[in-house]
Amino acid sequence: MPRKAQTESVSDLNAAPGGAAAVDRALSLLSAFRAGDEALTLAQFAERTQLYKSTVLRLLASLEHARLIRRQDDGRYALGMEIARLHGLYAASQSLDRIVLPVLRALAADTGESAAYHVRQDQGESWVRLCQFRVDSSHVVRDHVRAGDLLPNDRGAGARVLIAFGPEAERPRGAKERKLYDAIRAQGYCALVGDRTAELAGISAPVFHADGRLAAAVTLTMPAHRYDAAYIEPVRAAAKDLSAQV
C-alpha cells in the first residue's frame, strides 16, 4: 500500500472541491515555479510541493508528454512550449485584441484572404513564432493556422519580417540570406510564394512600438495560386495602422 505522507502536500491543502487529486498534484508542480526560476530540480519540486520524489517523477512524465514541462540536458525541468501556446491564447482574450482584431478583420475583408498577427516568443536561447491573432479567409481553400499555434521561425513571410527587423545578431550571415533581409528592410515588407510550404504564399509587414522596437508582423496568407501583388499595400497599411496603437 502507498505510504501516507507525514506532512500534507500543497495540493492536498488546496484541493479543488469535487476535483481529481492527480490533477491537483500535477498543477501544483507548475505552480512551484516562482519569479526568476529558469528551471527546477527534482528536489526543489518535492520541497515546494511536499510530494514524494517518486510521485513528482510520475507527474513530471505526464507534464512532459503534454509539453507543459521540458527536461533539460542538466536534468532540471523548465516550462514547456505548450505554456507559450496557452499564453498566446490568453493574450488573445485580453485588451490587445480590441486593437488588433478590427484591423485584421478589415484586412481580411478587403483582400478575401487570411490575416494574422505574429509575435516572437522567446524560448531560452532561441525563439518561436507565435500566431497571436488570426482572422480566417472566407474561401474554402485556405491554410488552417489558428491563434495560439507555433510556426517556424525561419520560413514564411511573417518569420522573415520578424528576423529582418529583429536583433541584427540573429540574421543569417550567408550572402544570399543577407541580401534577402536587406531587401525586406529596404522595401518595408516581405512577399514570398512557396517559402513555408509550396502551396502557400504570404505577405507580411512589421508593426512597431512607439519607441521603434519591433512589436509584431502583420501577415496575409493565401494559396499560391491566389497570390496578388495588389495585396501588398493593404498589408503595409494595416501594419502602419497598428504601429500607431500597440
Side-chain angles (χ1 to χ4, degrees):
M1 293 180 62
R3 294 175 297 167
K4 181 176 177 61
Q6 295 179 352
T7 303
E8 284 190 294
S9 68
V10 171
S11 59
D12 290 335
L13 293 172
N14 297 281
V23 175
D24 287 337
R25 290 170 185 166
L27 293 176
S28 74
L29 296 183
L30 296 177
S31 298
F33 285 91
R34 301 169 184 170
D37 287 336
E38 293 183 1
L40 298 178
T41 64
L42 176 61
Q44 286 175 311
F45 277 120
E47 178 185 359
R48 294 182 184 184
T49 63
Q50 293 298 301
L51 292 168
Y52 288 117
K53 290 182 181 179
S54 57
T55 300
V56 172
L57 277 174
R58 291 195 299 273
L59 295 171
L60 285 173
S62 292
L63 292 173
E64 188 175 4
H65 179 72
R67 300 199 309 165
L68 292 165
I69 289 286
R70 60 183 174 87
R71 191 175 188 274
Q72 300 185 153
D73 292 339
D74 61 6
R76 296 187 301 162
Y77 295 86
L79 293 173
M81 292 181 65
E82 181 67 5
I83 299 293
R85 190 187 75 82
L86 294 173
H87 176 268
L89 295 175
Y90 173 78
S93 69
Q94 303 307 303
S95 59
L96 188 60
D97 66 347
R98 294 195 290 271
I99 297 172
V100 175
L101 284 175
V103 175
L104 295 185
R105 291 189 187 107
L107 178 59
D110 186 26
T111 62
E113 302 299 347
S114 299
Y117 187 86
H118 294 150
V119 298
R120 291 171 53 106
Q121 183 75 54
D122 290 331
Q123 292 284 332
E125 296 181 358
S126 184
W127 61 279
V128 293
R129 177 164 54 117
L130 173 68
C131 178
Q132 191 170 16
F133 301 97
R134 161 89 178 198
V135 175
D136 286 333
S137 165
S138 58
H139 290 288
V140 174
V141 179
R142 58 177 175 81
D143 65 319
H144 290 273
V145 173
R146 299 168 299 177
D149 282 355
L150 300 176
L151 302 170
N153 67 357
D154 60 347
R155 300 186 308 280
R160 303 292 187 182
V161 163
L162 293 177
I163 293 172
F165 294 92
E168 183 176 357
E170 294 182 358
R171 295 173 198 154
R173 301 298 183 182
K176 182 178 179 180
E177 293 282 286
R178 188 166 60 248
K179 183 178 179 180
L180 170 64
Y181 291 113
D182 286 345
I184 292 171
R185 286 192 299 278
Q187 64 194 17
Y189 67 89
C190 176
L192 294 170
V193 177
D195 190 44
R196 178 159 65 89
T197 64
E199 299 82 7
L200 290 178
I203 302 169
S204 187
V207 177
F208 297 102
H209 292 297
D211 61 5
R213 292 180 297 112
L214 179 68
V218 168
T219 306
L220 195 72
T221 55
M222 66 220 74
H225 69 272
R226 289 209 305 263
Y227 174 79
D228 190 337
Y231 296 155
I232 292 173
E233 285 310 311
V235 171
R236 297 186 68 185
K240 182 177 180 182
D241 188 2
L242 287 171
S243 292
Q245 303 181 67
V246 300

